[in-house]
Amino acid sequence: AQTVTQSQPEMSVQEAETVTLSCTYDTSESDYYLFWYKQPPSRQMILVIRQEAYKQQNATENRFSVNFQKAAKSFSLKISDSQLGDAAMYFCAYRSYGNQFYFGTGTSLTVIP
Amino acid sequence: DAGVIQSPRHEVTEMGQEVTLRCKPISGHDYLFWYRQTMMRGLELLIYFNNNVPIDDSGMPEDRFSAKMPNASFSTLKIQPSEPRDSAVYFCASSQQGVSGNTIYFGEGSWLTVV
């Protein structure tokens, strides 16, 4: 079975600075999708960014970008110009070919004013 | 477009009572998922449906839990009888095969407290 590992339970960043959240996964599949979700205190799960495994180019959404290393099975999220509203729990997720979703245990991000 | 709609948003019930959580997926989505989130166990997949048919219910904790999807626009998760350890946030989510990488979209969650 696929597993998703987020090795950083907590991270903090100064407002306006850049932070990188780590995620690794284990799979034998060649075709899959990876996601980052944000969960603020309201508990709403919000899609941040999506990456197709067959694409070489790293996905970018405004201040959010990923560093996708397929061979290393690594999928990190970079948040640039951090804002107070970025404070949340961040989950890395893997979608298998069979449409199963696997989530990591999350990284709690604190933004320091 | 309306997102995934869950009800109730908050529920407090006494141990032994029946609890029914409801979900309306995004129109056109053919996959529906029920997740449970607790501090201890994180985000757990309970069951998921494809075209209203349950595909994998191996995450359902025990016989007290049941889920149905009578049509493409409605699903329920029932707990009978409820126990304090069932206290959690229950999320419903949906996705559409072949669209946006099958991105899964979550509802706002149902906060269940069993006392």
Side-chain angles (χ1 to χ4, degrees):
Chain A
Q2 286 77 7
T3 57
V4 178
T5 302
Q6 293 179 249
S7 59
Q8 307 154 315
E10 298 177 345
M11 292 282 285
S12 62
V13 62
Q14 206 76 32
E15 194 175 4
E17 297 296 309
T18 296
V19 65
T20 298
L21 308 183
S22 300
C23 173
T24 58
Y25 57 94
D26 184 28
T27 185
S28 57
E29 296 178 336
S30 59
D31 187 18
Y32 50 86
Y33 284 79
L34 296 162
F35 305 83
W36 278 98
Y37 284 87
K38 169 185 177 182
Q39 188 178 44
S42 68
R43 293 291 194 113
Q44 173 79 49
M45 292 283 280
I46 302 164
L47 175 69
V48 175
I49 199 164
R50 173 179 60 237
Q51 174 78 42
E52 296 90 335
Y54 64 86
K55 286 190 177 179
Q56 299 274 3
Q57 188 172 7
N58 289 324
T60 299
E61 289 286 343
N62 300 314
R63 298 182 295 107
F64 298 87
S65 62
V66 298
N67 183 5
F68 174 48
Q69 302 289 329
K70 191 172 184 179
K73 297 179 184 176
S74 170
F75 182 60
S76 60
L77 175 70
K78 185 171 83 170
I79 306 173
S80 304
D81 186 25
S82 296
Q83 301 175 359
L84 295 178
D86 295 334
M89 196 77 164
Y90 286 82
F91 291 92
C92 178
Y94 171 102
R95 194 222 90 194
S96 71
Y97 181 77
N99 209 35
Q100 284 267 33
F101 282 83
Y102 301 88
F103 286 85
T105 51
T107 296
S108 178
L109 178 66
T110 300
V111 180
I112 304 165
Chain B
D1 288 342
V4 177
I5 299 172
Q6 291 186 245
S7 64
R9 288 296 316 280
H10 298 270
E11 174 98 2
V12 180
T13 190
E14 291 186 346
M15 184 173 62
Q17 296 298 306
E18 177 180 294
V19 174
T20 300
L21 308 179
R22 298 173 178 79
C23 175
K24 177 179 169 57
I26 293 172
S27 178
H29 282 196
D30 52 358
Y31 282 85
L32 183 138
F33 305 82
W34 282 101
Y35 285 88
R36 176 173 70 175
Q37 187 178 36
T38 61
M39 289 294 292
M40 291 296 294
R41 301 176 69 91
L43 200 59
E44 302 174 274
L45 175 65
L46 300 177
I47 186 171
Y48 78 95
F49 296 82
N50 178 219
N51 292 323
N52 313 337
V53 176
I55 302 301
D56 184 354
D57 65 353
S58 60
M60 296 286 263
E62 47 199 275
D63 292 345
R64 297 185 298 107
F65 285 69
S66 62
K68 293 182 181 180
M69 192 165 185
N71 57 62
S73 59
F74 184 67
S75 177
T76 59
L77 178 67
K78 187 174 293 186
I79 308 171
Q80 166 63 24
S82 57
E83 296 182 3
R85 61 191 166 122
D86 301 330
S87 298
V89 182
Y90 290 82
F91 288 101
C92 177
S94 69
S95 70
Q96 186 173 359
Q97 179 74 30
V99 176
S100 301
N102 292 28
T103 298
I104 188 171
Y105 295 94
F106 286 81
E108 293 184 312
S110 292
W111 296 56
L112 174 64
T113 302
V114 183
V115 297

